[in-house]
């Protein structure tokens, strides 16, 4: 069991961290011209967009994500009466956080050369932790909810909201001068990969690991037709 999860979840996350670091180093080594995008957005700022993006950025502020993840994990445990969904939510959110923290200082990318509308955290610009956290939390919650729902229309609504939230955060962070375009792009990719990797806890082989299949080839409680 431990070996199975180490190979299917832990190892891919370690590799993802290495790839994230490598991508950051490549971005620093090759001029991307992204400063022009940041300057254009900064020049076109309006009071209305300043207010809206302040709200948009706050959708993934660290204190909120931590509190929401804890609340969602507790709610899943109480509603579904098992730990699988709760563990998945925590694993998805914290996996991106650990990769982000392990790579951001090593890459050390400066933030865009425009005025920043938010206080700059001590971490560097690459990747965007706000964006990756938003993907992991909102999409992980959507995955849990739609797994237990059969109403197709409601599933679509949940996923539209779950995808919209990280995109709003991404634009807000870019608009407010806190990240380059590639920072938020990699944040979206990092979050998506973390959700996909940790989804093993909910789906597929993670529900029926090799140790269990080896005991007669079927999960516990299964029967064969005779």
């Amino acid at each position: 069991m431990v070996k199975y999860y180490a190979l299917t979840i832990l190892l891919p996350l370690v590799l993802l961290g290495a790839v994230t670091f490598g991508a950051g180093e490549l971005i620093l080594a090759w001029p991307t011209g992204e400063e022009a995008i940041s300057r254009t957005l900064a020049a076109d700022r309006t009071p209305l967009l300043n207010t809206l993006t302040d709200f948009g950025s706050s959708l993934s502020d660290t204190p909120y994500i931590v509190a929401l993840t804890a609340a969602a994990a507790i709610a899943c445990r109480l509603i579904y009466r098992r730990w699988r969904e709760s563990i998945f939510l925590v694993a998805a959110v914290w996996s991106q956080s650990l990769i982000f923290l392990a790579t951001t200082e090593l890459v050390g990318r400066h933030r865009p050369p425009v005025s920043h509308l938010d206080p700059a955290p001590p971490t560097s610009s690459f990747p965007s932790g706000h964006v990756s956290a938003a993907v992991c939390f909102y999409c992980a919650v959507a995955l849990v909810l739609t797994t237990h729902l059969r109403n197709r229309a409601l599933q679509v609504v949940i996923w539209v909201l779950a995808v919209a939230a990280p995109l709003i955060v991404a634009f807000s962070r870019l608009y407010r001068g806190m990240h380059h375009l590639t920072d938020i792009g990699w944040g979206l990719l990092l979050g998506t990969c973390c959700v996909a990797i940790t989804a093993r806890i909910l789906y597929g082989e993670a529900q029926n690991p090799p140790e269990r299949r080896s005991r007669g080839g079927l999960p516990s409680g299964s029967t064969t037709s005779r």
Side-chain angles (χ1 to χ4, degrees), residues 42-119:
D44 293 337
R45 287 172 180 166
T46 65
L48 176 59
L49 276 177
N50 290 352
T51 300
L52 291 176
T53 56
D54 183 34
F55 170 76
S57 180
S58 70
L59 290 175
S60 190
D61 282 347
T62 299
Y64 296 154
I65 289 295
V66 171
L68 288 172
T69 302
I74 293 171
C76 285
R77 177 66 181 92
L78 295 175
I79 294 171
Y80 303 122
R81 299 182 182 275
R82 61 185 185 185
W83 287 105
R84 182 182 298 156
E85 289 80 4
S86 301
I87 293 172
F88 163 62
L89 288 174
V90 173
V93 173
W94 283 102
S95 61
Q96 67 77 29
S97 180
L98 291 174
I99 292 174
F100 165 72
L101 292 173
T103 57
T104 184
E105 287 302 320
L106 292 175
V107 175
R109 189 182 196 186
H110 295 299
R111 295 187 184 275
V114 297
S115 60
H116 303 151
L117 298 185
D118 294 321

Side-chain angles (χ1 to χ4, degrees), residues 3 11 42 88 167 170 182 195 205 226:
K3 180 180 179 181
L11 180 58
F88 163 62
L167 293 178
T182 49
V195 171
E205 296 291 331
R226 297 182 183 275

